[in-house]
Each structure stands twice: as structure tokens, then as C-alpha cells.
Amino acid sequence: MTSNLTTGAVRPRASAWARRAGAMLACGVLAACSDKQLVTANPISVTPEAAGSNPLGALQLQATGILATDRDNTDDYVRDVAIFGREGYFFQLQDSRWVTGYLRDYNDNASFGTGNWAGRYSNLRNIANFYTAVDASAATLGTQQAAAARGFAQTMEALQLLYLINTRHDLGIAVQVLPDPQAVAPFVSRDSAFRYITNTLDAGLTNLRAGGSAFPFTLPTAGGGFTGFTTPTTFAQFNRALKARVEAYRGSLGCGQACYTAALAALGQSFITPTLSSSNLNTGVFNTFSSAAGDQVNLLWTERTNIYAHMSITTDASVPQNDTRLSKITTAPSRSQAGSDASTRVFAQYPASSTPIPIIDNEELWLLKAEAQWFTGDRTGALTTLNTVAQVAGGATGSRYAAPANDAAFLDALLVERRLSLLLEGHRWIDVRRFGRLASLPLGGTGFTVARQQVVPQAECIYRDRTGDAALKGPGCP
């Protein structure tokens, strides 16, 4: 099976993760979805002819489908990054490959550790189809609403690509969506992918600013969702928040001060608040869930008894054990599997089937601000910002951190705060890798090693080999 520019690698799923190819396809391509919740109706009722006769309705369906597909890939991404980054284990007792596939056999391109690929590329095809629909209905939409729609899609395109490069890192990714769904696009380097992502976000901002006062569709707000970000103007703040994250990543990966300066500029146009308080920590954009018919529950909640925390969070000397963010983990019966270290902690920050998962929030923006301030020379400001996060989010009394002596000492403090604030949100592995600290992660068990990136799935390698074009061969493919 192909997923536009890549093949869709299919791997076995376990328990609650065993699911939804049909449901995802239905909502990802043309789903009858609520504007308040991501609820899919019977896809048989939607036809191309009906979409052609109602372009505004079709855009609503496609926009909701893009968001639903993004949401449906979030649980897997967060879980996988947690395992690779030694935040946690997935002890699915019926199948030990949920341990060995990530911690020992991740270089096997047919192992369990090759996910976070087909779903994102499927959504990039959804987004390409959305662009086509916008172009086809431009006369009906008018200049402003067409620009607003394109700005939305460009922001979501950049987000999908960011998830992909976060998991493939040095291997690079394919960024093009070719008109022929059977065609294969070349891989580009990590740096080229990041430049493409930043340019796409900037193009999206330009369109959002030209987009008038409303989108030609509505965005979901139930359970948080896009509440506060449902117009082109406010959605542009979400776009800038993502831009700040990307520029900070680039800054830490070699771009340096120039990218950190760009990150600060983007933060100034985002939804970051001038002061941080308990009431605005979680202001942001979220993937939301529900138990409504046709919708989806939060699978991190479903598997809450199987997703164990790595015990290093309770033993590392750098982690203050009186930090209130440690309430995100709780005690559980001891468990280990396939030679792993034992754990007696599980995660507790997704306590209900409808608990949302952040895409990006104010707490992360403050952490990005501290990082960018430090690496643009404002060390006093960076320290103040970081201590504010420790106080507001972690309950620290006074200043937790004195003036760091050097970059390494600041990074020690920053990574502690990011570890606690962004626990089980999909960041730890990316953070330690981008700062060159993968070696600091515990192995997690006998015979295990720490992965630098996920490999290209076997199905992708096979499909690319069949082109007979050496330039299209997947990096790392046999």
C-alpha cells in the first residue's frame, strides 16, 4: 500500500493500539465530522460528486479529517518517543517486542520500532488534497478565505513534517507530496527538512494574515482543542508557537544564535503570556478525545496500566523529588519484561478517556523562551524565566537555579525543567539528542542500547528499491 510519497509500513498493533485503518481513512480523506468534536459519520454517505456540489462542506470535512488524522497519530508518537527517550516502558505483557523492538532491535526495519511514518505521510496526502480543493473552489471562497484555508493547511503540513524529522533525524525525510500518489519523492537532509518546515510555516503565516476574520470551516473546541485559536488571526499565534519550537531545535542543532533570535521573534508573535501563572500554564492547542460514537478516546489513558515510567525520574540527583510535577507519576505493582529494568511507577497525567494531549502550550513556550534567551546572550533573563517555570509549574520556593557557570550547566537546568514540564508529551528523546546527551540516558535493561533515530520501515525500503533509481533509495535501507 502506498501513502503518497512513501509506502505505508504496516506493523502489528497490540490491545488498544490495535485499530482503526478504516476509521482513520474515513476521517482522513473525507469524513463527516463535527465542528465541536472529531466525530466521524458513515463515510459511505460522502461522495466526490456531493463534495463538488458543496465545496464549503467539502473543505469542512477535509479540515476536520486532517485534524483527526493528526490526533489519531499522537498517542503512538508520544508513547514511542517516551520509550526511546527512557521516559517510560510499554509493558504490554502479551508481546515483549514492545520492549525489545525499541530498546534492542530498533535497527531492524521490520521491528516494532519503525512506526510514526505511514500515518503522517497519509495526512500529508490529505493536506495535498486539501490544497487542490482550495484551488478548485477559490472563486467560491474569495481571496481572503482561500488564503485562510491555505494558511491552516501549511501550518498543519509543517507540523506533520516536524514529527517525521523528529523521529528520523540524521536520515532525513521526504518533504514533497507528488501529484502522482504512486510516485516516490527523494529524501532530503535533516537541515533541508527543517528549512522546508520553517519556510512552510512562514508561508502559512503570510496566508493567515491575509485570511480575513474567519476560516471557511470551523475548528474543534470541545475539551479545549483549538479554543482561542479558531480565526486566522489567532491561529497565526499557534503557527508562530510552532515556529519558535522549530527555530529552537535548529538553534541547538548547529544554526546557533541566528535561529534562537528567530525563535524569540516568533515567540513575540505567539500566544506566550507576559507573566506565567497557574491559570495560564496550559493555555494552548490540544488534541482532544471523547467516547462519543465514532470518536476516539485517549489511548495513553486506555493503556495507563501498561505504560510505566522509567525509575530514573525518581533516582536522578538532578530531579527535585519535591517538585509538584512529579504528581504526573504514581506507584504501581512492580513490572519488568524481556530483560528490562523494573519499574514501580505509571503515568497519571491522562486520568480520563477524554484528557487532551498538548500540541503546544504556554508552559513549553516559556521553556523555549529561556533557552533562546540564554543562547542569544540574555543570561539573566534566561535564568529568571527558567526559575519562574520551576516556581509556577513545579512549586519551587525562591530561585531553584543560581547563575550557571557555562552553557553545560544551563542545559543541565533546562533539561530538568523540560523533563518535568513536558513529561509524556513527546519531547524527552528529542531534547537529549539535540543537545548531544543521548549517552546520558540509562540503557533500561540488559543488552539494550539507546537509539539515535527510528529507521525507515521495511515496506518503504522495498517500494523504493522497486523504482530502480538509486537516488530514491531510502537511507539506511539494505
Side-chain angles (χ1 to χ4, degrees), residues 162-397:
L162 180 60
Y163 289 130
L164 284 162
I165 197 60
N166 278 350
T167 58
R168 268 60 197 194
H169 198 58
D170 291 336
L171 298 180
I173 57 172
V175 298
Q176 293 174 284
V177 175
L178 302 177
D180 179 1
Q182 305 301 318
V184 178
F187 274 70
V188 301
S189 70
R190 182 190 70 206
D191 290 344
S192 293
F194 271 118
R195 285 195 297 272
Y196 183 92
I197 291 167
T198 57
N199 289 339
T200 301
L201 286 168
D202 288 344
L205 177 66
T206 298
N207 275 318
L208 290 166
R209 286 177 170 172
S213 60
F215 288 112
F217 44 81
T218 59
L219 301 179
T221 57
F226 286 80
T227 299
F229 303 94
T230 57
T231 69
T233 298
T234 54
F235 196 88
Q237 296 176 337
F238 169 54
N239 173 290
R240 292 297 87 184
L242 294 177
K243 165 84 168 181
R245 179 193 284 173
V246 172
E247 294 292 10
Y249 284 7
R250 294 180 68 201
S252 64
L253 291 169
C255 176
Q257 184 170 340
C259 285
Y260 278 121
T261 299
L264 286 175
L267 284 170
Q269 299 171 330
S270 74
F271 58 86
I272 191 171
T273 57
T275 59
L276 190 65
S277 68
S278 58
S279 63
N280 63 32
L281 264 175
N282 301 126
T283 297
V285 180
F286 295 79
N287 277 308
T288 56
F289 307 86
S290 86
S291 57
D295 207 354
Q296 179 171 306
V297 300
N298 183 336
L299 297 178
L300 298 175
W301 168 84
T302 302
E303 292 288 358
R304 63 196 179 280
T305 59
N306 292 333
I307 306 176
Y308 272 68
H310 196 283
M311 293 299 289
S312 60
I313 199 166
T314 68
T315 59
D316 284 357
S318 62
V319 179
Q321 292 302 300
N322 62 348
D323 192 285
T324 57
R325 287 166 290 187
L326 288 174
S327 63
K328 297 175 183 178
I329 61 174
T330 189
T331 58
S334 181
R335 191 179 292 185
S336 65
Q337 191 174 19
S340 74
D341 297 337
S343 174
T344 59
R345 301 289 191 277
V346 293
F347 294 96
Q349 79 260 44
Y350 301 112
S353 62
S354 59
T355 304
I357 299 175
I359 299 175
I360 193 164
D361 63 12
N362 194 38
E363 188 170 358
E364 182 185 347
L365 296 186
W366 271 69
L367 290 163
L368 292 171
K369 177 182 175 182
E371 180 181 339
Q373 285 174 317
W374 180 269
F375 288 108
T376 54
D378 183 7
R379 298 192 167 193
T380 300
L383 192 61
T384 298
T385 301
L386 199 62
N387 276 315
T388 299
V389 175
Q391 292 159 5
V392 176
T397 301

Side-chain angles (χ1 to χ4, degrees), residues 135-153:
D135 291 343
S137 57
T140 301
L141 293 173
T143 301
Q144 286 189 331
Q145 288 202 318
R150 291 189 187 100
F152 159 81

